[in-house]
């Protein structure tokens, strides 16, 4: 990296329970365009990990290729990172997770990465309910290859050169719901108050946690007529609920003003506090979540917040019944049947 | 044929795919095996599940030649669909065994062969009422008939049935009865045994019989593989299926029922190799098995693994290409695709097993090598080795063997290091040190990527840093030459001016071809290549001979190209002996091609 991050920090930065200040969760200086939505999401991840007292080295961050996929370099420099190939991060994350189920797996992808070249892997990682957080930084265009429309660009949206997109958009959020994702959320890079608790909740979810974050590309898709521009999203955003994530052991002292409240307890004891805005939406009911999205769409609104969660889900390791000890910690003694067993195999082949 | 040929003939079975003939035919082969006689079966099957013609060819060889041999001595023709072709393929003087329940079409009568008509269907109808039984036992009856014709010991057949139906003993008597029906019919109607027949020997010692794919699956269990990701493709599918079965036997905790293994059927080959790379990156031994089309899809990821230096084991069971080619026929045509898999300057480590024992051993070695070198290792077997049963030396395992996990730093080691550099060449062998994710709170984390980076894994587009890295990878390649299995010099070293060079399943025919050549006063040395990169022995062998016959089963002489490119071998010296009709190469074929070449070079010289 040619850029060196200035080391100066306020001497009285607050420390979290592990004794780390927030800068401990940062990465190298971003090389993305100034104002890129992706940087705000990185900042959200930093904040969430700091708040949750995550040991950075116990988290593995994986991505594909694209501006969005570069971001793992910009948060948690004490974590192992993996920029894989374009669109195929889910398989690498799957292998990594199978090898060691004790780490936290954080995947970052773009809409080109996930909705085109990587669509197959995106779909199948959901189907397997891999225990990971999967964030799509969705700007409706290809940033790194300079602005082509992506498959999530809305029908009728204008790109920078003024051309109108004639194709229907692939809506990754509905798709994830449809495919059985056990945690589905949607947010906006410009809404840190909503995004940070969502990331925290996703991290404590014991299965596949998907967050589709609309993240405007200031360079290629922030023009009038684009439905993924800052202005457009701000005007059309509609939250499911005001939202708070309460980590395990923390006193619950959130109070909401209006509407009905809903509390979801995650497997580790942490809680999601929802102050619902919409009466006919239940985040624990897939059908209801689906309806909420469709309703919002019909009104040209972008629904954000936690859309669906199944807090009692069982991940891939449960399904294939792997040992409690992570597979990468087993040795000859656990794995090799030895020469005696081999003699028996030989005998069976005579 | 001279009278009374013992333990030296070829029987071919012509069946309909999906009628249960496979187990009957295997019974026949296994009986010969248990009589201590070298035997080799080949499945010649269509790329189809049911209804089409399928053949099973069994060669019996007192001399232990376990390659294919042309010329059918006895055809067991129980498929009307292929009968015309089957009659044609019997050698003059040979035998044609058919179901005489219906009169034989006069077009199928040849003057120069002998006919053995057995009313298989009639016998079945008379003895069994159930339709499925009638079909299944037809096959067992012809095995009984062959037992009488060729002198297979009946007690051996009975023993095999007892093994096969262990736990389902009820099924044994009806099978024995079917065998007996066949035996009786021959006794009553024919002169038996035939002049070519079997005699018990003790030529196999403690040999086993198994297919290469199962041996690979077992090898992966012994190697400590814990993650397998795959996508089904003929002829590699049974590798992971065998791994799964052996894992069920050896890797399930009896108390908890939990498994020390994760096997995932991926959505495609791209995902399969991606998972393998992810798992290996995170410190689990992981592998996949595929065939040519799968390797094509995996190329981009293989390039990543090469450049980012991540171990991965891939078993490529080759079939005929290009494209879908002939999916159920054999070939050695992925050599170049595998050696240079992916774009950019890449070189991949290859292994070439020849026997099931080597499939087992090389699979185990592949994991050590891959982790030691931090690079993918691709094992190139083929359909012939993978899907056919082979007589093999038994598997061996040294209980003192430790897995070589390569240069991986622990938290304690990291503590002692000032600054960890993922791509530093600390030991001057081109192999850097790596860390598993999660090892140490502040040291050893780095970014794995397919983009250029410096010694500390920091992204850079600096040309010098890129070049340093590429040069180190080449140095690692040199180190690899000292780690991969050395070639085998067959026979004595450098006695003659010509040499045969071969690898993989061509070995079976090449050994026999050397004897045939000798009978014609053509003498050659021989070398069997077991791995790529080639080490010095291969270069020396080529340098020390005037002519090298490079035997390979593909059209474009891929191994020859590799020798030219990697060893700068003189193309004028390298004579290709090729076979690419989808069938395993035969010794006769090698002999003919060598003879033709000698004739050709003589005429060229005399001109
Ligand atoms: C196999 C392959 N094809 C094409 C590319 C070129 N490529 C790099 S990034 C990218 C698209 C990135 O778009 P997106 O995933 O939406 O991320 P963004 O840059 O917008 O954040 C493409 C097509 C590649 N790297 N690999
Ligand atoms: S091109 Fe777009 S997506 Fe890429 S860094 Fe710039 S603003 Fe972000």
């Amino acid at each position: 990296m040619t850029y060196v991050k200035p080391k100066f920090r306020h001497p009285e930065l607050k420390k979290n329970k592990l004794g780390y200040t927030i800068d401990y969760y940062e990465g190298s200086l971003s090389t993305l365009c100034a104002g890129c939505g992706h940087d705000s999401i990185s900042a959200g991840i930093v904040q969430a990990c700091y708040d949750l007292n995550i040991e950075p080295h116990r988290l593995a961050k994986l991505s594909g290729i694209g501006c969005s996929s570069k971001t793992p370099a910009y948060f948690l420099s004490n974590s192992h990172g993996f920029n894989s190939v374009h669109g195929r991060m889910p398989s690498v994350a799957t292998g990594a997770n199978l090898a060691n189920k004790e780490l936290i797996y954080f995947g970052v992808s773009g809409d080109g990465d996930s909705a085109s070249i990587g669509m197959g892997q995106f779909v199948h990682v959901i189907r397997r309910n891999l225990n990971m957080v999967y964030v799509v930084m969705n700007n409706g265009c290809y940033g790194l290859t300079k602005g082509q429309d992506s498959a999530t660009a809305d029908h009728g949206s204008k790109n920078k050169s003024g051309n109108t997109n004639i194709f229907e958009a692939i809506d990754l959020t509905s798709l994830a719901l449809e495919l059985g994702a056990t945690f589905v959320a949607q947010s906006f890079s410009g809404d840190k108050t909503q995004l940070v608790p969502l990331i925290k909740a996703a991290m404590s979810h014991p299965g596949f946690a998907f967050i589709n974050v609309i993240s405007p590309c200031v360079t290629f898709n922030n023009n009038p007529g684009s439905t993924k521009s800052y202005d457009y999203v701000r005007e059309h955003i509609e939250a499911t609920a005001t939202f708070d994530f309460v980590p395990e052991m923390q006193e619950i002292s959130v109070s909401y003003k209006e509407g009905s409240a809903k509390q979801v307890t995650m497997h580790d004891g942490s809680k999601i506090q929802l102050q619902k805005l919409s009466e006919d939406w239940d985040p624990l009911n897939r059908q209801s979540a689906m309806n909420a999205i469709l309703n919002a769409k019909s009104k040209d609104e972008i629904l954000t917040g936690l859309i669906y969660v199944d807090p009692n889900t069982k991940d891939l390791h449960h399904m294939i019944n792997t040992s409690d000890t992570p597979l990468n910690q087993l040795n000859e003694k656990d794995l090799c049947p030895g020469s005696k067993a081999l003699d028996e195999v030989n005998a069976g082949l005579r | 044929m001279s009278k009374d040929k013992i333990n030296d003939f070829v029987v071919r079975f012509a069946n309909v795919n999906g009628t249960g003939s496979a187990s009957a035919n295997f019974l026949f082969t296994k009986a010969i095996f248990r009589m201590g006689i070298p035997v080799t079966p080949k499945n010649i099957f269509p790329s189809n599940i049911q209804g089409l013609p399928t053949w099973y060819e069994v060669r019996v060889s007192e001399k232990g030649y376990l390659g294919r041999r042309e010329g059918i001595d006895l055809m067991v023709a129980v498929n009307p669909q292929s009968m015309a072709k089957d009659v044609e393929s019997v050698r003059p003087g040979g035998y044609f065994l058919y179901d005489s329940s219906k009169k034989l079409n006069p077009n199928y009568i040849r003057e120069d062969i002998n006919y053995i008509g057995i009313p298989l269907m009639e016998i079945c109808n008379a003895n069994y009422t159930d339709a499925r039984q009638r079909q299944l036992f037809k096959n067992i009856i012809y095995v009984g008939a062959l037992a009488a014709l060729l002198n297979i010991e009946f007690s051996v057949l009975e023993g095999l049935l007892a093994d096969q139906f262990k736990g389902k003993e009820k099924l044994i008597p009806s099978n024995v009865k079917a065998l007996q029906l066949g035996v009786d019919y021959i006794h009553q109607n024919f002169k038996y045994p035939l002049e070519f027949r079997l005699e018990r020997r003790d030529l196999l010692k403690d040999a086993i019989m198994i297919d290469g794919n199962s041996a690979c699956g077992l090898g992966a269990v012994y190697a400590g593989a814990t993650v397998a990701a795959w996508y089904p493709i003929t002829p590699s599918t049974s590798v992971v299926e065998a791994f799964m079965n052996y894992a069920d036997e050896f890797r399930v905790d009896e108390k908890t029922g939990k498994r020390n293994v994760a096997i995932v059927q991926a959505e495609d080959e791209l995902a399969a190799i991606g998972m393998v790379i992810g798992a290996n990156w995170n410190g689990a031994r992981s592998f996949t098995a595929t065939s040519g089309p799968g390797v094509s899809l995996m190329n981009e990821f293989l390039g990543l693994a090469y450049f980012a230096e991540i171990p991965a084991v891939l078993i490529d069971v080759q079939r005929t290409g290009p494209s879908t080619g002939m999916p159920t026929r054999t070939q050695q045509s992925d050599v170049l695709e595998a050696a240079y898999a992916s774009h950019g300057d890449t070189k991949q480590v290859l292994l070439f097993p020849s026997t099931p024992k080597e499939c087992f051993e090389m699979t185990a070695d592949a994991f050590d090598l891959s982790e030691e070198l931090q690079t993918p290792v691709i094992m190139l077997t083929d359909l012939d080795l993978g899907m056919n049963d082979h007589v093999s030396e038994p598997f061996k395992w040294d209980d003192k063997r430790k897995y070589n996990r390569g240069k991986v730093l622990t938290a304690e080691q990291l503590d002692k290091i000032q600054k960890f550099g993922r791509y530093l060449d600390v030991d001057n062998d081109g192999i850097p040190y790596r860390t598993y994710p999660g090892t140490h709170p502040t040291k050893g984390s780095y970014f794995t990527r397919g983009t250029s980076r410096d010694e500390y894994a920091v992204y850079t587009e600096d040309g010098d840093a890129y070049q340093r890295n590429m040069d180190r990878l080449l140095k690692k390649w040199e180190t690899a030459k000292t780690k991969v299995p050395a070639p085998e010099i067959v026979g004595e070293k450098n006695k003659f001016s010509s040499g045969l060079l071969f690898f993989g399943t061509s070995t079976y025919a090449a050994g026999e071809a050397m004897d045939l050549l000798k009978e014609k006063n053509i003498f050659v040395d021989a070398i069997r290549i077991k791995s790529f990169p080639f080490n010095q022995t291969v270069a020396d062998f080529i340098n020390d001979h005037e002519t090298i016959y490079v035997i390979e089963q593909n059209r474009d002489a891929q191994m020859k190209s590799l020798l030219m490119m990697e060893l700068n071998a003189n193309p004028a010296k390298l004579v290709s002996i090729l076979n690419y009709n989808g069938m395993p190469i035969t010794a006769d074929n090698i002999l003919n091609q060598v003879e033709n070449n000698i004739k050709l070079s003589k005429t060229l010289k005399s001109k």
Side-chain angles (χ1 to χ4, degrees):
Chain A
M1 183 81 37
T2 41
Y3 302 87
V4 179
K5 210 157 195 166
K7 279 276 172 246
F8 176 79
R9 286 288 182 284
H10 194 281
E12 263 141 52
L13 266 182
K14 234 179 89 198
K15 289 183 174 162
N16 67 6
K17 279 220 186 87
L18 297 172
Y20 300 134
T21 50
I22 193 151
D23 57 326
Y24 189 69
Y25 290 86
E26 290 169 352
S28 55
L29 193 73
S30 171
T31 59
L32 302 182
C33 309
C36 176
H38 302 352
D39 278 335
S40 317
I41 304 172
S42 299
I45 296 167
V46 166
Q47 185 70 46
C49 292
Y50 165 83
D51 288 351
L52 284 183
N53 303 301
I54 302 285
E55 283 279 11
H57 74 292
R58 303 301 294 169
L59 182 146
K61 41 185 190 178
L62 302 105
S63 63
I65 300 287
C67 298
S68 33
S69 287
K70 285 183 175 187
T71 59
Y74 314 141
F75 57 81
L76 269 62
S77 47
N78 280 316
S79 297
H80 271 63
F82 197 144
N83 269 147
S84 63
V85 293
H86 191 21
R88 268 64 58 76
M89 170 271 282
S91 61
V92 178
T94 305
N97 183 305
L98 288 174
N100 184 359
K101 57 178 166 191
E102 286 183 346
L103 301 185
I104 298 166
Y105 293 90
F106 206 107
V108 175
S109 181
D111 45 308
D113 207 57
S114 278
S116 288
I117 190 166
M119 181 55 102
Q121 299 213 339
F122 174 69
V123 164
H124 284 271
V125 74
I126 292 176
R127 188 175 149 254
R128 295 192 182 100
N129 199 21
L130 190 78
N131 186 8
M132 75 178 295
V133 181
Y134 194 113
V135 173
V136 169
M137 302 184 174
N138 190 342
N139 53 19
C141 74
Y142 288 9
L144 198 63
T145 51
K146 295 189 189 273
Q148 302 79 8
D149 281 348
S150 86
T152 66
D154 291 307
H155 181 258
S157 178
K158 272 205 175 78
N159 67 16
K160 203 179 180 189
S161 7
N163 297 327
T164 305
N165 176 31
I166 55 170
F167 300 112
E168 277 308 319
I170 291 175
D171 178 12
L172 292 172
T173 307
S174 330
L175 187 66
L177 263 179
E178 173 80 23
L179 289 165
T182 52
F183 180 109
V184 180
Q186 187 151 273
S187 193
F188 172 46
S189 62
D191 185 356
K192 206 173 164 189
T193 28
Q194 184 193 53
L195 182 58
V196 173
L198 277 179
I199 295 172
K200 290 191 218 167
M203 288 176 75
S204 57
H205 178 67
F208 188 80
F210 177 62
I211 313 179
N212 180 40
V213 190
I214 298 174
S215 172
C217 168
V218 284
T219 306
F220 297 112
N221 203 16
N222 201 29
N223 46 290
S226 159
T227 58
K228 299 269 192 305
S229 66
Y230 278 112
D231 287 346
Y232 184 93
V233 177
R234 281 209 183 94
E235 280 157 26
H236 292 80
I237 201 159
E238 182 66 40
T240 56
T242 49
F243 185 96
D244 203 3
F245 177 78
V246 187
E248 190 189 10
M249 328 266 282
Q250 191 173 311
E251 191 190 346
I252 301 167
S253 62
V254 234
S255 69
Y256 289 100
K257 284 165 269 139
E258 65 220 46
S260 67
K262 179 122 199 160
Q263 195 179 71
V264 180
T265 306
M266 307 297 278
H267 72 300
D268 57 358
S270 56
K271 289 185 171 59
I272 295 170
Q273 292 274 8
L274 286 164
Q275 192 68 16
K276 296 205 295 177
L277 297 183
S278 162
E279 272 305 327
D280 54 6
W281 160 75
D282 176 3
L284 293 168
N285 181 317
R286 192 179 294 278
Q287 175 93 48
S288 164
M290 203 72 173
N291 287 341
I293 289 195
L294 290 176
N295 281 340
K297 241 190 229 168
S298 69
K299 289 187 266 174
D300 251 349
E301 286 170 356
I302 302 163
L303 193 65
T304 63
L306 177 71
I307 290 167
Y308 174 75
V309 64
D310 172 2
N312 300 312
T313 185
K314 300 249 181 285
D315 85 326
L316 178 60
H317 279 281
H318 281 93
M319 290 190 257
I320 61 176
N321 202 20
T322 49
S323 69
D324 293 334
T325 314
L327 294 174
N328 74 346
Q329 285 164 33
L330 301 171
N331 55 30
E332 289 88 349
K333 229 177 81 244
D334 310 306
L335 299 172
C336 184
S339 63
K340 247 215 187 121
L342 196 58
D343 290 343
E344 278 166 40
V345 172
N346 282 324
L349 297 168
R350 293 204 174 100
Chain B
M1 164 169 284
S2 62
K3 271 231 160 272
D4 290 356
K5 237 181 166 186
I6 307 300
N7 299 337
D8 187 8
F9 56 86
V10 174
V11 181
R12 186 187 267 199
F13 298 83
N15 298 105
V16 182
N17 212 14
T19 53
S21 54
S23 62
N25 297 347
F26 181 64
L27 185 67
F28 173 79
T29 305
K30 198 73 189 272
I32 300 171
F33 171 78
R34 285 211 177 163
M35 287 171 70
I37 305 161
V39 58
T40 184
K42 303 269 176 248
N43 278 297
I44 306 161
F45 60 108
S47 175
N48 179 289
I49 308 301
Q50 238 175 4
L52 286 184
T54 175
W55 291 271
Y56 183 77
E57 196 176 280
V58 180
R59 180 178 185 189
V60 181
S61 168
E62 174 96 9
K63 288 189 182 151
Y65 295 140
L66 296 176
R68 262 192 85 228
R69 196 205 77 187
E70 304 279 351
I72 313 294
D73 297 303
L74 168 59
M75 173 67 75
V76 180
V78 280
N79 185 0
Q81 228 186 309
S82 62
M83 198 93 69
K85 187 176 165 191
D86 295 336
V87 171
E88 280 314 306
S89 54
V90 179
R91 66 153 177 84
Y95 290 80
F96 187 81
L97 188 156
Y98 67 102
D99 184 352
S100 60
S101 306
K102 271 197 213 138
K103 207 169 148 329
L104 191 66
N105 182 335
N107 291 338
Y108 300 158
I109 306 289
R110 268 172 61 184
E111 292 299 318
D112 60 341
I113 62 174
N114 308 295
Y115 288 83
I116 303 173
I118 306 176
L120 294 169
M121 203 152 55
E122 272 175 25
I123 300 176
C124 273
N125 289 351
N127 287 278
Y128 305 97
T129 46
D130 178 76
R132 181 72 186 150
Q133 278 196 340
R134 282 177 172 172
Q135 186 180 52
L136 287 176
F137 285 128
K138 202 165 100 173
N139 303 319
I140 304 292
I141 293 170
Y142 72 62
V143 174
L146 290 172
L149 289 167
L150 297 170
N151 234 358
I152 297 175
E153 292 167 22
F154 202 79
S155 60
V156 170
L157 289 170
E158 283 176 316
L160 280 165
L161 289 176
D163 288 353
Q164 187 185 339
F165 296 115
K166 205 163 258 163
K168 289 180 266 175
E169 279 78 8
K170 270 207 314 248
L171 298 172
I172 298 175
S174 54
N175 277 277
V176 172
K177 179 183 156 192
L179 282 174
Q180 194 62 53
L181 287 169
V183 172
D184 293 346
Y185 191 85
I186 297 297
H187 284 187
Q188 284 149 24
N189 297 284
F190 292 93
K191 198 172 122 291
Y192 62 89
L194 301 182
E195 74 269 27
F196 59 87
R197 61 174 186 269
L198 299 159
E199 252 174 38
R200 180 174 272 281
R201 292 282 185 271
D202 187 19
L203 296 169
L204 298 180
K205 307 289 181 246
D206 58 352
I208 56 172
M209 182 171 255
I210 188 174
D211 61 276
N213 283 356
S214 300
C216 288
L218 184 65
V221 169
Y222 272 76
T226 49
V227 179
W230 67 301
Y231 189 73
I233 182 170
T234 304
S236 72
T237 304
S238 51
V239 172
V240 181
E241 285 174 348
F243 178 72
M244 229 180 267
N245 290 336
Y246 285 120
D248 281 345
E249 196 177 335
F250 296 122
R251 292 280 186 81
V252 183
D253 185 318
E254 273 171 32
K255 271 182 255 137
T256 61
K258 296 209 170 181
R259 305 159 66 83
N260 281 343
V261 72
I263 303 169
V264 179
Q265 184 182 321
E267 56 271 31
D268 51 37
E269 288 86 350
L270 287 85
I273 192 72
M275 290 177 198
V276 168
I277 288 168
N280 275 299
W281 172 73
N282 211 1
R285 289 194 151 186
S286 173
F287 78 104
T288 186
T290 190
S291 193
V295 184
S296 292
L297 284 177
M298 291 175 182
N299 262 251
E300 186 190 15
F301 255 133
L302 286 170
L304 172 80
Y306 169 80
F307 193 51
E309 300 179 69
I310 305 167
V313 172
L314 193 168
I315 297 166
D316 174 10
V317 189
Q318 298 166 96
R319 64 187 213 183
T320 63
S323 188
T324 317
M326 294 192 285
T328 58
R329 300 297 145 101
T330 196
Q331 213 163 53
Q332 297 177 314
S333 51
D334 298 348
V335 176
L336 287 175
E337 132 157 282
Y340 300 125
S342 188
H343 54 279
D345 290 327
T346 49
K347 290 176 195 275
Q348 310 284 7
V349 174
L350 310 181
L351 300 175
F352 306 103
S354 291
T355 62
K357 181 169 188 255
E358 281 189 348
C359 284
F360 174 79
E361 286 170 355
M362 281 189 179
T363 302
D365 293 345
F367 288 91
D368 284 349
L369 259 180
S370 180
E371 289 198 312
E372 198 182 357
L373 296 169
Q374 297 177 29
T375 201
V377 172
I378 305 175
M379 188 154 95
L380 291 183
T381 86
D382 60 23
L383 182 143
D384 181 19
L385 179 55
M387 286 190 76
N388 289 317
D389 286 294
H390 292 262
V391 170
S392 167
E393 282 178 53
F395 304 133
K396 282 205 181 72
W397 189 262
D398 178 359
D399 287 323
K400 289 197 289 292
R401 179 171 173 158
K402 286 264 170 248
Y403 299 150
N404 185 345
R405 305 300 312 263
K407 299 183 188 177
V408 181
L409 295 176
T410 60
E412 296 72 44
Q413 288 168 318
L414 281 166
D415 270 334
K416 290 187 202 126
I417 292 174
Q418 264 278 319
K419 190 177 175 200
F420 167 69
R422 168 65 178 105
Y423 297 108
L424 279 176
D425 189 3
V426 178
D427 303 324
N428 204 24
D429 56 3
I431 307 171
Y433 285 80
R434 65 179 185 135
T435 55
Y436 297 153
T439 304
H440 193 284
T442 52
K443 281 182 172 173
S445 73
Y446 67 96
F447 226 101
T448 302
R449 45 159 64 91
T451 32
S452 183
R453 68 272 147 161
D454 67 11
E455 284 79 352
Y456 294 90
V458 176
Y459 173 75
T460 179
E461 287 175 22
D462 175 61
D464 289 340
Y466 168 81
Q467 212 164 311
R468 276 200 309 277
N469 191 37
M470 290 301 281
D471 290 342
R472 182 182 52 75
L473 284 167
L474 213 51
K475 188 149 118 204
K476 178 158 92 173
W477 186 250
E478 288 304 311
T479 304
K481 292 179 182 175
T482 66
K483 308 269 181 195
V484 295
E488 180 194 358
I489 301 286
V490 184
E492 272 180 76
K493 206 177 152 190
N494 298 348
K495 267 185 92 177
F496 308 107
S497 64
S498 310
L500 299 186
L501 183 151
F502 47 85
F503 59 98
T505 46
S506 308
T507 306
Y508 291 99
E512 183 177 359
M514 284 173 77
D515 290 350
L516 296 180
L517 287 164
K518 230 179 269 169
E519 286 170 21
K520 303 238 170 175
N521 284 324
I522 302 168
F523 299 97
V524 288
D525 295 323
I527 187 168
R528 174 162 78 93
I529 290 181
K530 291 196 200 172
S531 59
F532 175 70
F534 307 121
N535 68 16
Q536 192 54 39
T537 320
V538 182
D540 292 345
F541 186 85
I542 294 173
N543 289 334
D544 292 341
H545 292 86
E546 277 166 32
T547 309
I548 306 286
Y549 296 101
V550 183
I551 303 171
E552 50 186 322
Q553 304 185 51
N554 59 61
R555 183 192 69 178
D556 290 347
Q558 298 191 19
M559 180 59 84
K560 178 175 149 184
S561 300
L562 206 54
L563 292 165
M564 281 157 46
M565 284 185 281
E566 295 290 327
L567 295 179
N568 223 354
N570 176 1
K573 265 188 181 192
L574 306 178
V575 179
S576 278
I577 307 291
L578 304 175
N579 174 72
Y580 48 94
N581 60 8
M583 295 295 285
I585 193 168
T586 63
D588 284 318
N589 185 346
I590 295 173
L591 171 73
N592 291 339
Q593 292 195 53
V594 171
E595 280 190 318
N596 283 343
N597 181 265
I598 292 172
K599 266 187 232 147
L600 188 74
S601 50
K602 272 189 190 146
T603 40
L604 284 179
K605 262 187 206 149
S606 63
K607 266 186 191 164

